């Protein structure tokens, strides 16, 4: 029962679009201080910019992780825009709740790294919210290094 990655179809992307938009908006609201409406608008705008042709968007690797015929998750990686950029980017990786804790995220990243190596892409980057300690541990164990940090402090108004 080996995990494989297959190209995502347009119907598969369509079923993920709204949940992806909503989830990203929730993260933007929680971590960037945006109102729910502003976060949803920003989320929708970014998705449209990054995937203007949906699953057929050039330089986007949208892959579905499967074990046998069972979908266990998916990964979305953007290829470098030019030879100077050098770095591919993980925009999203998800393991379906019923399949978590089995190493599927690790395997999806390893398989996408192999695909990127075949394409001659030398680096892979990602953002992770600081509260996502499980993902941070996974990424560190796969060799990702912190190259930037964004910090926030909430300031209480005077009483």
């Amino acid at each position: 029962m080996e995990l494989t990655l297959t190209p995502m179809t347009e119907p598969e992307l369509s079923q993920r679009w709204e949940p992806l938009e909503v989830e990203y908006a929730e993260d933007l609201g929680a971590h960037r201080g945006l109102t729910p409406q502003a976060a949803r608008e920003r989320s929708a705008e970014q998705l449209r910019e990054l995937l203007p042709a949906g699953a057929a968007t050039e330089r986007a690797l949208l892959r579905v992780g499967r074990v046998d015929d069972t979908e266990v998750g998916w990964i979305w990686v953007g290829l470098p825009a030019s030879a100077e950029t050098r770095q591919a980017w993980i925009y999203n990786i998800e393991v379906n709740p019923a399949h978590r804790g089995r190493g599927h995220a690790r395997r999806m990243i390893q398989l996408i790294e192999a695909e990127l190596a075949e394409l001659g892409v030398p680096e892979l980057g990602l953002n992770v919210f600081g509260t996502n300690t499980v993902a941070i541990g996974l990424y560190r164990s796969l060799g990702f290094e912190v190259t930037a940090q964004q910090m926030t402090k909430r300031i209480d108004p005077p009483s």
Side-chain angles (χ1 to χ4, degrees), residues 1-6 64-72 99 104:
M1 296 203 319
E2 177 69 19
L3 185 138
T4 59
L5 292 180
T6 58
V64 178
R66 290 187 171 85
V67 174
D68 294 327
D69 291 331
T70 303
E71 181 184 312
V72 298
H99 300 280
H104 296 317

Side-chain angles (χ1 to χ4, degrees), residues 75-94:
I75 188 168
W76 166 21
V77 173
L79 294 173
S82 67
E84 295 82 39
T85 308
R86 300 177 29 126
Q87 188 179 73
W89 196 260
I90 296 176
Y91 286 104
N92 198 63
I93 181 169
E94 288 185 29

Side-chain angles (χ1 to χ4, degrees), residues 20-135:
L20 180 61
E21 188 178 301
V22 168
E23 182 178 306
Y24 186 50
E26 288 171 355
D27 285 338
L28 285 173
H31 299 284
R32 303 277 161 76
L34 298 176
T35 66
Q37 181 178 344
R40 184 68 186 262
E41 290 169 4
R42 182 67 182 136
S43 176
E45 176 185 335
Q46 286 185 332
L47 286 175
R48 283 191 307 271
E49 288 174 3
L50 292 169
L51 295 171
T57 298
E58 190 176 331
R59 311 205 69 70
L61 302 178
L62 292 154
R63 302 292 185 257
V64 178
R66 290 187 171 85
V67 174
D68 294 327
D69 291 331
T70 303
E71 181 184 312
V72 298
W74 66 285
I75 188 168
W76 166 21
V77 173
L79 294 173
S82 67
E84 295 82 39
T85 308
R86 300 177 29 126
Q87 188 179 73
W89 196 260
I90 296 176
Y91 286 104
N92 198 63
I93 181 169
E94 288 185 29
V95 175
N96 301 341
H99 300 280
R100 291 182 182 158
R102 300 179 193 173
H104 296 317
R106 174 179 302 281
R107 189 66 185 135
M108 284 192 288
I109 292 171
Q110 291 168 334
L111 290 171
I112 208 74
E113 285 178 0
E115 187 173 349
L116 292 169
E118 287 181 23
L119 294 171
V121 177
E123 289 182 7
L124 179 59
L126 56 84
N127 278 333
V128 59
F129 290 113
T131 55
N132 193 344
T133 57
V134 172

